[in-house]
Amino acid sequence: MASNQSSEKSRLISAIELVGAGGYDKLRIKKFPYRAPDTNEVVIRVKFAGLNFADLMRRQGLYSPVPKFPYVPGFEASGIIEAIGSNVSNLAVGDRVVTFAGDGMWADTVVVPHDHCFKMPDKLSFEEGAALLVNYITAYQILFEFGNLRPNKSVLIHMAAGGVGIAAIQLCKTVANVTVFGTASAPKHNIIKEAGCTHPIDYHTQDYVAEIRKISPNGVDIIMDPLNGEDSVRGYDLLKPLGRIIYFGAANVAASGENRSLLTAFKTWYKCFSTNSLSILSNNKSIAGYHLGYLLKDLDTTKEIALNTITELFRLYNEGAIKPQIDTIHSFSKVGEAMQRMHNRQNIGKILLRPDDESDTNNTDQTITKQAQESEREQAQEKTD
């Protein structure tokens, strides 16, 4: 017993630490002392962690809420419970679980409150588990809580080939006769059509408003808008009477490279939709804002909402109605490369991170910054070839 306690005290865990807002040089791999669980906590050995667009915006200093620097980022992970607190009775060592929090998931071992993690369905892989929570909770709550999605409605999904986009398309197909418009680059159209997108639109070469009006002159019933800026106005104008637009991001604010652009942020903010309670009376349209980050921040008061949604998502997964699509998996030491891939909007589905193994730690001559820069150069070269 004494030797076990001694080994735990000397044990180190590996994590990605963000030391400040900026480029990839603000990310580093750091060792932290192992911490045993308190009475109501569990220790999880992480298999995979999710990368989300919010992580990119946090790194650039464009996202709120954000912990005090330095901190370990990451909203979600999957893994195996390796220790439990004395008051924990609903989980056991060896359980396969998914977990999420406001930060801290990009580590090979995490300690979380027991009611922040959930047993995975038997058929759910660790990869799928790490891809499920943030994307599918976001899509589900936007479509069904805010959007009140019902049969014979139409939905516009921006960034339809991303993690939230694929999740939303799949969830739309659980309701009868829903027409789905999805914006994505042309090479991704076959993928989103297979997922259930009725009308893919290439945002590089087509005006999505004009294309939708050709098919549905009156517009659409529900819009999921992660873009904001000018698109927030165009979306509102595209709604049918009694339609709903849900703003849940500001991708137009994010710079395509390492660092934020204050000019881009100001331009996006300046072009955002603005109204008041009197002005919207005559339009017969609804607007809503959704921010999972703040729901996670107040998880003690919102955990019942989260639990109900997760229970429903597990049911849909077990029935084969939804299935997370994995894009690529990157080791912790290549997080910059993973982020650049998402910045470039190359991903189709979810990008995952995994703890470094021995082969990764033996090949750390490239920094996170260099890896991301090489990825960006390769992408630029592909465009010119």
Side-chain angles (χ1 to χ4, degrees):
M1 185 71 175
S3 61
N4 288 339
Q5 292 177 343
S6 176
S7 63
E8 285 185 358
K9 288 181 179 179
S10 61
R11 176 179 168 184
L12 295 176
I13 66 172
S14 180
I16 300 170
E17 186 177 62
L18 182 62
V19 299
Y24 300 115
D25 60 327
K26 301 298 183 182
L27 294 160
R28 65 186 182 187
I29 305 296
K30 186 175 179 180
K31 301 290 185 181
F32 294 89
Y34 173 87
R35 181 173 74 80
D38 288 338
T39 55
N40 292 309
E41 292 180 325
V42 299
V43 179
I44 302 171
R45 187 71 176 180
V46 171
K47 293 290 188 179
F48 298 96
L51 174 66
N52 295 284
F53 203 85
D55 295 310
L56 277 61
M57 296 190 70
R58 266 188 169 182
R59 198 206 71 238
Q60 289 190 345
L62 296 170
Y63 184 93
S64 176
V66 61
K68 183 179 179 181
F69 295 114
Y71 71 94
V72 175
F75 295 101
E76 60 191 331
S78 64
I80 299 174
I81 292 182
E82 63 173 32
I84 62 174
S86 58
N87 289 343
V88 177
S89 58
N90 61 321
L91 297 166
V93 172
D95 281 349
R96 302 166 67 252
V97 296
V98 290
T99 185
F100 66 118
D103 56 82
M105 295 294 102
W106 290 358
D108 62 17
T109 306
V110 297
V111 183
V112 298
H114 72 95
D115 55 359
H116 289 197
C117 65
F118 312 89
K119 290 182 183 179
M120 293 165 49
D122 292 340
K123 295 181 180 179
L124 188 70
S125 69
F126 286 114
E127 292 90 340
E128 291 172 332
L132 182 74
L133 290 183
V134 169
N135 290 164
Y136 282 81
I137 289 174
T138 297
Y140 184 93
Q141 293 183 342
I142 288 174
L143 288 170
F144 295 106
E145 301 293 347
F146 277 126
N148 192 25
L149 180 61
R150 302 188 305 279
N152 305 311
K153 296 297 183 180
S154 55
V155 181
L156 168 59
I157 302 170
H158 285 294
M159 299 174 70
V164 174
I166 295 289
I169 293 171
Q170 292 179 1
L171 288 167
C172 283
K173 304 316 290 182
T174 67
V175 180
N177 199 33
V178 172
T179 301
V180 178
F181 298 91
T183 62
S185 58
K188 300 178 181 179
H189 282 191
N190 286 339
I191 298 293
I192 62 175
K193 285 183 73 174
E194 290 174 6
C197 180
T198 319
H199 302 289
I201 300 170
D202 183 1
Y203 65 89
H204 287 300
T205 61
Q206 296 173 299
D207 181 338
Y208 66 85
V209 172
E211 294 301 312
I212 291 172
R213 293 284 189 194
K214 290 177 186 177
I215 300 167
S216 178
N218 292 329
V220 295
D221 296 297
I222 300 170
I223 297 177
M224 295 179 60
D225 180 4
L227 304 175
N228 236 297
E230 182 181 0
D231 291 290
S232 66
V233 179
R234 303 186 76 208
Y236 183 81
D237 292 340
L238 187 58
L239 287 175
K240 290 180 179 180
L242 305 184
R244 304 170 179 86
I245 185 167
I246 301 94
Y247 304 114
F248 68 103
N252 286 338
V253 173
S256 60
E258 288 191 46
N259 296 294
R260 66 184 177 184
S261 166
L262 294 179
L263 179 60
T264 298
F266 175 77
K267 286 181 177 179
T268 302
W269 171 82
Y270 183 76
K271 294 178 180 179
C272 282
F273 176 74
S274 179
T275 187
N276 60 65
S277 58
L278 291 176
S279 296
I280 63 174
L281 288 177
S282 59
N283 291 334
N284 291 300
K285 300 176 182 181
S286 298
I287 57 175
Y290 177 85
H291 198 308
L292 182 58
Y294 278 98
L295 287 178
L296 292 177
K297 182 180 179 183
D298 299 324
L299 197 54
D300 287 340
T301 58
T302 61
K303 60 185 176 184
E304 184 176 350
I305 299 173
L307 179 59
N308 291 339
T309 301
I310 292 168
T311 300
E312 179 65 8
L313 291 174
F314 283 172
R315 181 187 70 80
L316 291 170
Y317 178 84
N318 284 330
E319 293 177 356
I322 62 173
K323 184 177 178 62
Q325 177 158 334
I326 310 304
D327 177 71
T328 50
I329 300 173
H330 305 255
S331 64
F332 280 178
S333 59
K334 294 186 178 180
V335 61
E337 180 182 289
M339 283 187 160
Q340 191 60 50
R341 180 173 178 82
M342 185 173 283
H343 267 307
N344 293 339
R345 300 192 182 183
Q346 294 174 276
N347 61 300
I348 300 175
K350 188 77 169 186
I351 296 176
L352 297 179
L353 302 174
R354 62 166 176 81
D356 290 334
D357 57 26
E358 188 174 346
S359 63
D360 298 310
T361 56
N362 288 338
N363 292 280
T364 56
D365 54 322
Q366 285 187 313
T367 65
I368 289 172
T369 303
K370 288 180 180 178
Q371 289 164 1
Q373 289 172 341
E374 288 184 1
S375 175
E376 191 171 9
R377 283 196 296 268
E378 289 172 2
Q379 172 68 6
Q381 183 62 41
E382 288 175 5
K383 290 180 180 180
T384 59
D385 288 346

